[in-house]
Amino acid sequence: MNTQEFLEEEKFDSNLKNIKHSIEERKRVFNRFYMKKDYVCLERINRRIVNILDGLQLHIGVFNSMEQKEIVQFIYDLQNKGRNNELGEHTYSEPKKWMRGKGRVTIQFGCCYNYAVEKNGIPPGILRNGIVDPIPNLFKIMINRLITSHVLPISCVPDSCIINIYEPGDCIPPHIDSHDFIRPFCTISFLSKCNIIFGHKIKIVGPGEFIGSASIPLPVGSVLLLNGNGANLAKHCIPAVSYKRISVTFRKMDKAKQPHNFMFDSDFQNIKSSDFSDASESYHTKKRSALIG
């Protein structure tokens, strides 16, 4: 065997080992997946005893630590673009912090949900004429992971996304997600763990302080799926966080509530698994090209 043949055979053997290691790694990662759904909190509602947490699922291990870093860095890049007015009119929002717990940064894709009554009297809901950016490729890959990992059903592929960036002291008050979005939906936690509080009625004690019937820890990287009573009957809230936190929530819009200019993304019909670094690199490449151009 000459030197060239030897090198080619060595390369072939190395590729076989890498494939084997890749399969073993995938098995090891898959075995790390964990799902908890036996949440129980009984409340008396309309003279009936009801489990207000029925329909909740907490998934651990869907995104590994390296993927989480890629996602967080991508979100920071989006925040910088938002501050430089490089995102759609209703995509980025960073209100002034006028009191404790108020003024967290939000970034919305697919649609813009308005949380307050507009000056012209338009009630809270999806802005039918709002201009927002489409869901970025990296988030499409995240959605694909959620579907292929059986966190979300294939019948409920998200077409909208909202990112919340919390600074210490920020919170989300008690609410039930609008039925402009169908069930189930899910939220992913990054950077730091926190608790989410549930209750048919949640008492507001003070700015960022709430008392409910149940408190569920959200570990870093976890995915909380909300459905059933947990999404429709119980309110939920995030008390004032102690450390910086990011959440990414994926939801599917009710067709009757979609923005007038909404166009279905064909990528969701044939979305395939991809590497997070590839999507992130694609984003940075486009960013560099825009700067050069």
Side-chain angles (χ1 to χ4, degrees), residues 263-281:
M263 294 183 62
F264 179 75
D265 193 329
S266 58
D267 286 346
F268 288 122
Q269 290 180 329
N270 301 303
I271 190 168
K272 296 179 181 179
S273 298
S274 181
D275 184 75
F276 275 78
S277 59
D278 289 345
S280 181
E281 178 62 27

Side-chain angles (χ1 to χ4, degrees), residues 121-277:
I122 298 177
I126 294 175
L127 294 180
R128 306 300 300 278
N129 295 313
I131 299 175
V132 298
D133 293 297
I135 296 177
N137 288 337
L138 185 62
F139 292 158
K140 293 179 186 178
I141 295 169
M142 292 174 68
I143 290 171
N144 181 66
R145 176 73 59 80
L146 294 168
I147 298 295
T148 57
S149 299
H150 304 288
V151 175
L152 286 171
I154 191 67
S155 60
C156 195
V157 177
D159 52 18
S160 71
C161 166
I162 180 168
I163 301 163
N164 286 287
I165 302 177
Y166 301 74
E167 297 295 337
D170 286 348
C171 68
I172 289 185
H175 68 284
I176 293 176
D177 279 50
S178 169
H179 285 276
D180 284 4
F181 304 98
I182 66 174
R183 276 49 171 163
F185 58 92
C186 70
T187 185
I188 311 162
S189 299
F190 298 99
L191 291 181
S192 65
K193 64 180 180 180
C194 73
N195 290 340
I196 182 170
I197 294 176
F198 286 88
H200 181 56
K201 295 181 179 180
I202 296 178
K203 183 178 180 180
I204 300 176
V205 182
E209 299 179 29
F210 314 110
I211 297 177
S213 304
S215 180
I216 297 176
L218 299 178
V220 177
S222 64
V223 182
L224 180 68
L225 179 129
L226 294 92
N227 200 6
N229 291 345
N232 302 318
L233 190 60
K235 293 182 178 180
H236 62 274
C237 63
I238 300 289
V241 299
S242 301
Y243 305 97
K244 188 155 187 172
R245 175 179 186 264
I246 292 175
S247 70
V248 178
T249 300
F250 290 113
R251 299 178 290 197
K252 182 177 178 65
M253 292 179 278
D254 183 324
K255 286 186 177 181
K257 301 293 184 179
Q258 291 173 342
H260 296 307
N261 62 350
F262 177 79
M263 294 183 62
F264 179 75
D265 193 329
S266 58
D267 286 346
F268 288 122
Q269 290 180 329
N270 301 303
I271 190 168
K272 296 179 181 179
S273 298
S274 181
D275 184 75
F276 275 78
S277 59

